[in-house]
Amino acid sequence: MANQTGRGGLHQHNLSQVLQQIFNNQPISRVEIAHRLNLNKSTVSALYNELDQQGYIHEIGAGSSTSAGGRKPMLVKINGRYGYTISFDLGFRHLHVIANYLDGRIIFQGRIQLQQHDLQEVLHRINDQIDRSLAADTTSKAYWGLVFRSMG
């Protein structure tokens, strides 16, 4: 895999850092993001606008101005309906499944009893859950991630 260096790599790194700040500190303003990441305000604004155009974030209104006055900052949070994750926890006789919006809210969760310990059965059950969630998808983008943890 090619190493992302140069201007494109730096842009992607900064974009990821801004998105991470929004996710971990929501609601947050552009000024606060610039302060936390030690980036120029215009750089953060450009990255912020890119994330907004792609639908990752959602503006929720103006925050409080500082004691010195000035313009009230616009607060932003993650667009929780942009996508979702599906996680699976494989146990000895069961398969736990949970789907979450990006903001952490649960879409569905359940426990599936496994009749056999056959890998093909487990993979069939996982694919079935993924197909069901894709059919019922109401988010902007459909992303899914698998997290397996063996329960011995």
Side-chain angles (χ1 to χ4, degrees), residues 19-117:
L19 188 59
Q20 182 180 20
Q21 285 298 312
I22 295 168
F23 188 83
N24 290 334
N25 301 294
Q26 53 189 320
I28 191 169
S29 69
R30 286 180 263 200
V31 171
E32 182 65 22
I33 294 168
H35 176 72
R36 287 174 182 255
L37 296 177
N38 199 24
L39 290 174
N40 187 298
K41 291 177 191 175
S42 64
T43 300
V44 170
S45 286
L47 296 168
Y48 174 98
N49 290 336
E50 186 175 336
L51 292 171
D52 189 34
Q53 289 174 350
Q54 293 175 4
Y56 284 107
I57 58 178
H58 176 71
E59 289 185 344
I60 59 170
S64 301
S65 59
T66 64
S67 59
R71 199 159 110 191
K72 293 182 178 182
M74 183 59 64
L75 297 178
V76 67
K77 67 177 186 172
I78 292 293
N79 176 2
R81 294 293 185 118
Y82 182 79
Y84 61 94
T85 62
I86 304 173
S87 301
F88 297 92
D89 178 13
L90 180 58
F92 186 69
R93 292 191 175 96
H94 65 274
L95 178 68
H96 285 206
V97 60
I98 187 167
N100 300 86
Y101 289 117
L102 295 182
D103 62 5
R105 287 179 292 149
I106 296 173
I107 301 169
F108 67 85
Q109 63 183 346
R111 177 183 169 125
I112 302 167
Q113 288 298 123
L114 299 175
Q115 303 303 319
Q116 306 169 22
H117 303 297

Side-chain angles (χ1 to χ4, degrees), residues 84 130-137:
Y84 61 94
I130 292 169
D131 289 343
R132 285 185 198 183
S133 68
L134 289 173
D137 180 31

